[in-house]
């Protein structure tokens, strides 16, 4: 999945600094280029990753989602970490449960 995120990030002149997740959400530390609209950028990440997941896990997803249009929830939490030391934010993300891909 990281390769999908990387493609979207590269297309938006941005960089994935760290990531991890839990069963129901992901944590991404992104160095986002200031020309990007954050909401549009997150929508692009969700759309691209949804397409790949639907292709890769079609039988499983079809079994549980019954053709529903969305894999990702509409909500998002975006937090600026401008004042926090970057290493502290990375440590927080790395300490979240879930394995990296």
């Amino acid at each position: 999945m990281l390769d999908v995120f990387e493609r979207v990030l590269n297309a938006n002149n941005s960089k994935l600094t760290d990531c991890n997740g839990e069963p129901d959400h992901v944590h991404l530390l992104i160095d986002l280029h200031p020309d990007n609209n954050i909401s549009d950028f997150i929508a692009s990440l969700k759309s691209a990753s949804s397409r790949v997941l639907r292709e890769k896990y079609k039988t499983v997803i079809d079994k549980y989602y019954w053709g529903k249009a969305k894999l990702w929830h509409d909500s998002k939490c975006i937090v600026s970490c401008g004042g926090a030391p970057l290493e502290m934010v990375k440590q927080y993300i790395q300490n979240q449960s879930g394995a990296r891909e």
Side-chain angles (χ1 to χ4, degrees):
M1 189 55 48
L2 290 179
D3 57 326
V4 175
F5 289 161
E6 289 290 342
R7 284 195 304 262
V8 174
L9 287 154
N10 289 336
N12 289 280
N13 299 316
S14 300
K15 187 175 96 173
L16 181 64
T17 303
D18 208 343
C19 71
N20 207 340
E22 298 184 45
D24 62 349
H25 65 279
V26 295
H27 297 262
L28 304 173
L29 179 59
I30 297 171
D31 184 0
L32 189 64
H33 191 276
D35 288 345
N36 289 296
N37 175 295
I38 295 172
S39 291
D40 292 345
F41 175 77
I42 297 299
S44 294
L45 284 176
K46 288 180 174 184
S47 177
S49 60
S50 179
R51 277 193 303 275
V52 170
L53 288 170
R54 285 184 182 281
E55 290 172 11
K56 188 172 184 178
Y57 300 105
K58 181 175 177 26
T59 55
V60 175
I61 289 172
D62 287 350
K63 181 178 176 182
Y64 293 100
Y65 282 82
W66 305 309
K68 292 180 182 173
K70 298 182 211 175
L71 288 182
W72 295 105
H73 194 276
D74 287 337
S75 67
K76 56 190 159 282
C77 174
I78 301 166
V79 180
S80 172
C81 58
L86 193 54
E87 288 307 313
M88 183 182 289
V89 178
K90 285 183 180 182
Q91 183 178 16
Y92 169 81
I93 290 171
Q94 292 168 357
N95 288 333
Q96 300 306 300
S97 62
R100 290 182 182 204
E101 284 189 34

